[in-house]
Amino acid sequence: MTKLGFSLRSKLTISYIFIVVTVVGLISLMANISVQNKFQDFVIHKQNKQTQEILEQISLSYDENLDWDTNYIGIVGMNALQNGLIIKVENNNNQSIWSANEHNHGLCQDMITNMWSNMNQYSGKWEGRYQEKVYPIISKGETIGTLTTGFVGPYYFTDEELIFIEALNHLFIGIGIGSLVLAFGLGILMSYRISKPLNKAANKAALLSQGKYKEKLTDASNTKEISILMNTINNLSDALEHKEQLRKQLTQDVAHELRTPLTSVQGTMEAMLDGIWEVDKERLTSCYDEIMRIKRLIGSIEDLSKVENENALLHKENFDLSNLLIRLLNNFESELAEKDISVDYDRRSVYLNADQDKMSQVFNNLISNAIKYSDKGGKIQIHISDSHKKVEIRVKDIGKGISQEDLPHIFERFYRADKSRNRNTGGIGIGLTITKTIIEAHEGTIDVESKLGEGTEFIIILQR
Ligand code: ADP
């Protein structure tokens, strides 16, 4: 049973949102913590500075002769109270000179309550308490008294500071929510853009499995991997379509090739059995020839399927190609003599690392074709050139040649340029298919150049 999972689109959307939320969340959290810490440092620093200023102002207000200027201290004290500091000034005998609590106890209590509620509003976990700090007041190098500051600590926010830090928090939350919405939108958009062509590719692959090759994937994608995938599927589709056509063609051709000789044998036999024709040597020979033709056809089909199946099984060895060619040319001696064909081959040792039997099959096909499609008095040229990287072998004849329409097809199975003529030559259009299959198994190439009435040249290039 197929296990159904999440669709690619949902997975991409979820992953994208997860990544963006995690990244934005972490950045917001870190920025928030860092800003809060910096702000607390700033507030503590500001409060210390404020205390130092108060100390300076009080010390400056002291005059040895006129004593303390309580009016001025009162102004400084009330100003400090506005900023959350409750101060008390005492002389060296611990006698109170000025005290905010004594001056306006109610206002001091209101201020403490306000600070307390500010800090609790800022953080539910705030663990502050009312605390006091005592500083000596120094004038002209002598201690003249003490300043006691009371505040809600370890630090406290004034109303303005609280408004500022809360606005900052709201900004962070806003950025977080905005990013989430953006991530969601972009996630859906991006996953749609990636999954749409992939869905199309999947549908196309499903069509391919049903043997429907016509429809092509046309959507251009600007994602490199997706456009490679689409091109590959289109190429696969073309290749499968071509294979399918070849398969149909093969079945048709095999049926056709078998029917013709079988019908001929059947007709001759029936006529002889019915006593219409006499059983004589000539008619039996004709039946025999047709049976041999069927045998050759079956043998060629077997050869082809063997070569196609054994592609991976090459028995490579180092051998001298010129020895192989000389041996083959000797085998064709009687055919060459019969058609008075001359061979131009400048023998020279050229070593190849290849499957010798299969190479023998290749050159056997090419030489046999060159003889088959040459007229009496023809000429065959075999030319080899080599470098340290590759070997090029050319087999050329000045025979009948191949028309431009037939030329692109001659390596296909059962393709014969002139079917009726080839029936007489015994060709069934498989030799070149086998030849090409063998050369490609050796990672080489085979090309053909030909002109009708002028001749044909096959060019094989093999890597060393
Ligand atoms: P066949 O058994 O019919 O010769 P091949 O696969 O060897 O099959 O060749 C395919 C077709 O290519 C031939 O039927 C013939 O029409 C053409 N051909 C091959 N070699 C030559 C050549 N040297 N000269 C002219 N035509 C050729």
Side-chain angles (χ1 to χ4, degrees), residues 369-370 372-373 397 401-402 410 415-418 422 427-433 456 458:
N369 276 352
K372 212 163 25 173
Y373 300 108
D397 63 65
I402 305 163
I410 57 161
Y415 196 87
R416 289 163 305 171
D418 180 344
N422 286 346
I428 52 162
I430 273 184
L432 286 181
T433 316
T456 307
F458 285 93

Side-chain angles (χ1 to χ4, degrees), residues 236-352:
L236 176 71
S237 169
D238 289 345
L240 286 174
E241 188 176 11
H242 184 65
K243 276 220 151 147
E244 178 67 11
Q245 272 169 3
L246 281 182
R247 195 186 59 76
K248 283 183 184 156
Q249 186 72 39
L250 175 76
T251 320
Q252 265 176 20
D253 285 349
V254 170
H256 177 80
E257 294 297 323
L258 286 174
R259 189 180 303 113
T260 319
L262 277 174
T263 312
S264 156
V265 173
Q266 184 192 11
T268 313
M269 293 286 217
E270 273 173 6
M272 289 194 293
L273 283 171
D274 292 348
I276 300 168
W277 283 350
E278 261 180 48
V279 181
D280 60 20
K281 194 174 175 197
E282 195 187 330
R283 289 188 176 115
L284 283 176
T285 307
S286 146
C287 286
Y288 179 79
D289 286 346
E290 291 299 339
I291 288 167
M292 287 314 286
R293 188 175 154 69
I294 296 170
K295 204 177 160 204
R296 272 206 312 278
L297 174 74
I298 292 168
S300 298
I301 295 170
E302 270 174 358
D303 278 354
L304 180 63
S305 86
K306 205 169 144 211
V307 168
E308 283 178 342
N309 291 335
E310 281 181 1
N311 253 353
L313 301 170
L314 292 177
H315 301 290
K316 285 191 177 181
E317 59 186 315
N318 239 343
F319 64 91
D320 186 351
L321 182 63
S322 68
N323 286 344
L324 185 145
L325 289 171
I326 293 294
R327 202 171 58 239
L328 286 175
L329 288 170
N330 286 340
N331 291 348
F332 282 112
E333 212 176 335
S334 62
E335 280 99 325
L336 289 165
E338 201 177 301
K339 285 181 112 175
D340 192 21
I341 296 172
S342 63
V343 177
D344 177 3
Y345 170 50
D346 191 8
R347 182 176 184 170
R348 186 167 66 87
S349 280
V350 175
Y351 278 85
L352 265 187

